[in-house]
Amino acid sequence: MNIKAALLALLAYAIFSSHDIIVKLLGTAMSPIQLVFFSTLFSFPLVILMLVQDTTHGNLRPVHPWWTVVRSLTISIAPASAFYTFSTLPLAQAYALLFVTPMLITLLSIPILGERVGAPRALAILLGFGGVMVVLRPGGTELELGHLTALIAAFSLSLQSVILRKIGQDERRVVLLLYPLLTTFAMMGLGLPFVYQPIEGLSLIGVGSVALMGFVASLLMVNAYRIGEAAVVAPMQYSQIIWAAIFGALLFDEAIDSATLLGAGLIIASGLFIVVREALGGQSENTPVLRTRSRGYAPGSFNISLALKRKSAKRPE
């Protein structure tokens, strides 16, 4: 079943990569704020299907209101930041920087979850951030706003994942899904009047495709995690660097330079080590990286761990 799970995850990340290609194409003529707003709007009917299945009794008042607010805000920041990154940076650079998420999750889990990080994972984190420096090449290349927004997106994804790990046991699934969705819609709506551009027919189809692809890919990921081990499924995200090389060369005339390739390799090696270290058991009390199953910056997607929660009475992962 692990082979089937890995194949489902590879298909999901191929769809996510296609989603990012559309974002990059739309980003040439549309603000990421507008793109996130309308893709979130189009995703409402899809995500509502997830919400109505929460039959647990209770109200919509969060048990942990401040953590819920912080998580909702970070979730709303992540897609706009990632979309801007895709529209301005080569795909391989964008993915390499977004891949620092496991390292940031591990770091944030120390103050928020009380996670203890030993020397092996600490060295993996240093290796990963060394890879970031290789990709950015400070002083050797012109740094752009897209580099910063990539790191902002990665930090936002990491923070919301660690917060979910902290409060997920106490909050209703509908609360954990609904508040971030409404916050994203509201925040992007506030900025929309300043960046709005009329949407042509093909662009409208593209925005709808972004929402649909995020939803379909998330469904595939849910099935992958249901039938396979997290340690097998999680590393499949790094297949996106292959799609970045293919799509970048064919559609955008982008070539992966040696520094980006080396930096991405270091970052991926760091992330893989952290995943394997957590999967071995006994090394991490919270296993926060293994339990971070959602891609996070596709508005049409939904939180995979919360979808899995419906099938299990265990703590959401």
Side-chain angles (χ1 to χ4, degrees), residues 291-314:
R291 296 171 186 269
T292 299
R293 296 167 171 174
S294 298
R295 191 164 178 262
Y297 51 83
S301 65
F302 51 87
N303 193 287
I304 294 165
S305 298
L306 297 180
L308 291 169
K309 180 182 178 182
R310 183 170 59 90
K311 295 295 184 180
S312 172
K314 296 180 180 180

Side-chain angles (χ1 to χ4, degrees), residues 11 57 69 81 101 116 161 172 178 214 222 232-233 249 251 253 275 279 282:
L11 177 58
H57 296 290
V69 168
S81 300
T101 301
R116 294 183 178 180
S161 297
R172 291 181 66 202
L178 184 60
V222 168
V232 173
V233 176
L251 299 178
D253 196 26
V275 167

Side-chain angles (χ1 to χ4, degrees), residues 13-35:
Y13 282 113
I15 294 173
F16 275 133
S17 297
S18 301
H19 164 287
D20 298 336
I21 295 302
I22 297 176
V23 168
K24 189 173 182 66
L25 292 170
L26 291 173
T28 60
M30 188 184 306
S31 164
I33 292 175
Q34 181 173 343
L35 180 52

